[in-house]
Amino acid sequence: MNPNMVKDLCASVVRRLSLRPATVEAALLVTLHHFSGESHNPGVAYTGLTPDQYVVLSLSTPRFEATLASAALKAEGREADARLNWEAFVQREQETARLAHEAIPKTALLADAIHRIGRQLGLCGECTDQFVSGVVLTLALGYPYRLADQRHLSLTDLLAQVTTEEVTELLRHAAHSATGRTEEAAATLRRMQRAAR
């Protein structure tokens, strides 16, 4: 882990949010613990990263900084600010994912076939539209942790390679979650995780 990178990140959060350095340092430990826990997910091993490599790679992601900032704000009792900080991060990620989705050529799967897949699942066009940003965001969040032979690809390139089966499962999971069918959603998620191994 690069100590200078961590120091600069903490200093940036202190300045940007007017937090005490000690609070940010304590939040850093909580955040590192969170990402360390994530690093043992079988999906991380599938990418070829060790848990330590996953954590080090995570340090430079906007999600790490957003998680750190929210943890520090919560530690100072600024719950509302923590929530707003996280929501702002999610909105930025969704906008990035939306722009990447729009940049995909019209011949690519996500650009023209997602509604057809939605119809096959019995979803109306409006429902599918509501799920598209979430599906693309889900794919975008996995972007930094892609397989070694895909690390040179842009997010747009990766989105264009998503298979029909993957989109079908993502839409199915989104539909089950949105309608409160938690058991079916969990089963779909388990299927996706098994397929990713």
Side-chain angles (χ1 to χ4, degrees):
M1 191 178 322
N2 184 335
N4 289 332
M5 179 193 292
V6 173
K7 184 178 175 184
D8 290 345
L9 178 60
C10 288
S12 170
V13 171
V14 166
R15 279 191 310 274
R16 188 168 55 83
L17 300 172
S18 301
L19 293 165
R20 291 176 295 143
T23 302
V24 175
E25 288 173 18
L28 175 64
L29 295 177
V30 171
T31 305
L32 285 169
H33 181 73
H34 171 81
F35 278 83
S36 178
E38 279 186 4
S39 73
H40 296 285
N41 185 300
V44 172
Y46 171 74
T47 67
L49 295 172
T50 66
D52 287 344
Q53 289 170 327
Y54 175 89
V55 172
V56 169
L57 186 59
S58 297
L59 287 171
S60 61
T61 64
R63 187 166 72 94
F64 188 93
E65 183 173 356
T67 304
L68 172 63
S70 292
L73 287 165
K74 282 182 189 173
E76 288 213 344
R78 294 167 57 185
E79 296 282 339
D81 288 340
R83 185 174 37 76
L84 290 172
N85 180 76
W86 185 256
E87 288 172 1
F89 160 72
V90 170
Q91 287 174 355
R92 287 191 304 273
E93 290 293 292
Q94 285 178 327
E95 180 62 11
T96 299
R98 185 187 66 76
L99 292 172
H101 176 62
E102 288 178 357
I104 297 170
K106 294 298 180 192
T107 55
L109 171 69
L110 285 181
D112 64 356
I114 199 163
H115 282 91
R116 178 178 49 78
I117 294 168
R119 283 192 300 276
Q120 289 172 351
L121 293 173
L123 302 174
C124 67
E126 188 177 319
C127 293
T128 303
D129 282 337
Q130 290 172 2
F131 296 145
V132 167
S133 63
V135 167
V136 177
L137 177 62
T138 298
L139 296 166
L141 288 176
Y143 172 62
Y145 314 114
R146 58 205 182 278
L147 292 168
D149 64 348
Q150 295 179 334
R151 291 196 184 133
H152 67 287
L153 299 177
S154 69
L155 176 56
T156 300
D157 292 336
L158 286 175
L159 290 175
Q161 292 184 11
V162 176
T163 66
T164 302
E165 292 77 17
E166 289 168 326
V167 173
T168 302
E169 289 296 279
L170 286 163
L171 280 175
R172 184 176 284 126
H173 180 263
H176 290 330
S177 298
T179 55
R181 294 159 57 193
T182 54
E183 287 183 24
E184 289 100 328
T188 304
L189 184 60
R190 284 191 296 273
R191 262 196 319 275
M192 286 190 289
Q193 289 172 335
R194 278 196 301 271
R197 290 181 191 152

